[in-house]
Amino acid sequence: MFPSTSRDTGREPWADDPSAGPSGPARGYPPAPRTGPADEGDRPERKGPRRLRKGGPGRRPDDESDEEPEDEVPPVPVRRPLALTVAGFAALLGVGLVLGAQTSGPGHRLPFAAIIFGVQLLFVLAWTMAMRPPALLVVALVSAATAVIADVAAVQSDIAGLAPLGYAAAAGFLLAVLGQLVRRVDRVRVTDSLGGTLLIVVGVVAFATLVVLSRIPKGTQAITVCLTAAGVALLVARLTDAIAPWPRLAPQVPRGAAGVVAGAMLGTLTSAVLGSYLVGFTPTSAALVGVVSAATAVLADLAVGYAEAGRLMAGEPPTMWVARHMQGPLGGFALAAPAAYAMCVLFL
């Protein structure tokens, strides 16, 4: 007869003995269900996909509660004296362009072209110092030469049109890029600065469209309406930012939405009032032309603020103080000039 207990009963298992784990069913019996705690090697089931975070490994949503919240970036303060100074510069620039257009007449385009050239030089100075393209001096000289060629073409061309200005802009852009490709140090950054170089050259040529517009019937009146609307829009927007910059559009940009909206509305109202006094305009047509110029001017000024904030957040050193704050109004008038030409040709 066989004993009721096995011979191995009471023996202590040795460490080197194979473990009697659930490697397979023993003697035909299924393995018992595991009811105990999980082994050390078992991992808890993931509750969600990993997320990538800046400067570290990925994390899951259930790990967020274990970390401290990140500090919020404080908003950039709005400096009232600076906003008032920029508003005054925008007003003076608008008055100078409008009065210069009044000096233009058949056979007397050179005084207005000289005023436009002075504004173009300011534009080249401000935007090259702000954008800092490779071979900055080369880009500045090529842009100034492009301004001269565009102004001469606008005055001397037989037919008042934008084709000569387009050729001047294309030639200036190509020369500026080639000047950046000469030096190996500048060649590395050329692809990153193509947009900035194009903006500088096209912005310079855009002012020359005012000279072409002064040669078209109703062109001088259109310049008066459009540039007055743009100047009032920029002035009101900056004054509102100095008084009540609310609501803030972005913490890093010291501008408020109230100024942008109020500037566009008051610029349109001013153009409608001028339309009731100028020959060839009605309040409705003047308001239609003025709203486009005012909106493009304030939006271009706002975009310059966002671009400057982006450069500072990227770690680039700040540019020259005067050039940095002249850039917005100059960009606004540069964009309002071709808008005025388009509105005059299409709707007047």
Side-chain angles (χ1 to χ4, degrees), residues 280-308:
F281 278 89
T282 62
T284 303
S285 62
L288 180 63
V289 174
V291 67
V292 175
S293 301
T296 53
V298 293
L299 290 179
D301 187 18
L302 182 63
V304 168
Y306 273 93
E308 180 64 24

Side-chain angles (χ1 to χ4, degrees), residues 89 93 116-133 135-151 172 176 196-207 319-320 322-324 326-331 334:
F89 173 71
L93 186 59
I116 293 297
F117 181 69
V119 176
Q120 288 170 328
L121 291 181
L122 289 177
F123 183 89
V124 171
L125 172 64
W127 279 73
T128 51
M129 293 301 298
M131 303 296 293
R132 290 184 177 179
L136 187 146
L137 183 59
V138 175
V139 174
L141 293 177
V142 170
S143 300
T146 305
V148 174
I149 295 172
D151 294 341
T197 306
L198 183 62
L199 282 176
I200 295 171
V201 175
V202 172
V204 165
V205 176
F207 280 104
T319 57
M320 185 187 300
V322 177
R324 184 168 68 250
M326 288 169 53
Q327 188 184 6
L330 287 169

Side-chain angles (χ1 to χ4, degrees), residues 57-82:
R59 63 180 180 183
R60 291 186 293 271
D62 53 350
D63 300 333
E64 294 180 357
S65 58
D66 300 336
E67 299 182 0
E68 297 180 358
E70 298 181 358
D71 296 335
E72 295 183 357
V73 179
V76 177
V78 178
R79 293 180 288 177
R80 292 184 178 180
L82 177 60

Side-chain angles (χ1 to χ4, degrees), residues 3-128:
S4 60
T5 59
S6 175
R7 290 179 301 176
D8 297 336
T9 304
R11 290 181 59 185
E12 297 183 13
W14 296 94
D16 54 350
D17 289 341
S19 60
S23 60
R27 297 184 181 183
Y29 294 99
R34 300 174 60 183
T35 58
D39 296 337
E40 293 181 358
D42 296 338
R43 296 182 179 178
E45 187 178 354
R46 294 182 180 178
K47 298 181 180 179
R50 287 181 176 269
R51 280 194 257 165
L52 295 177
R53 58 180 176 177
K54 186 177 180 180
R59 63 180 180 183
R60 291 186 293 271
D62 53 350
D63 300 333
E64 294 180 357
S65 58
D66 300 336
E67 299 182 0
E68 297 180 358
E70 298 181 358
D71 296 335
E72 295 183 357
V73 179
V76 177
V78 178
R79 293 180 288 177
R80 292 184 178 180
L82 177 60
L84 294 175
T85 303
V86 177
F89 173 71
L92 290 177
L93 186 59
V95 170
L97 289 174
V98 171
L99 293 181
Q102 302 303 319
T103 63
S104 178
H108 299 281
R109 313 290 181 185
L110 290 180
F112 187 39
I115 295 174
I116 293 297
F117 181 69
V119 176
Q120 288 170 328
L121 291 181
L122 289 177
F123 183 89
V124 171
L125 172 64
W127 279 73
T128 51

Side-chain angles (χ1 to χ4, degrees), residues 160-182:
L162 298 182
L165 304 186
Y167 298 146
F173 177 69
L174 290 178
L175 288 177
V177 173
L178 290 177
Q180 295 171 357
L181 291 174
V182 172

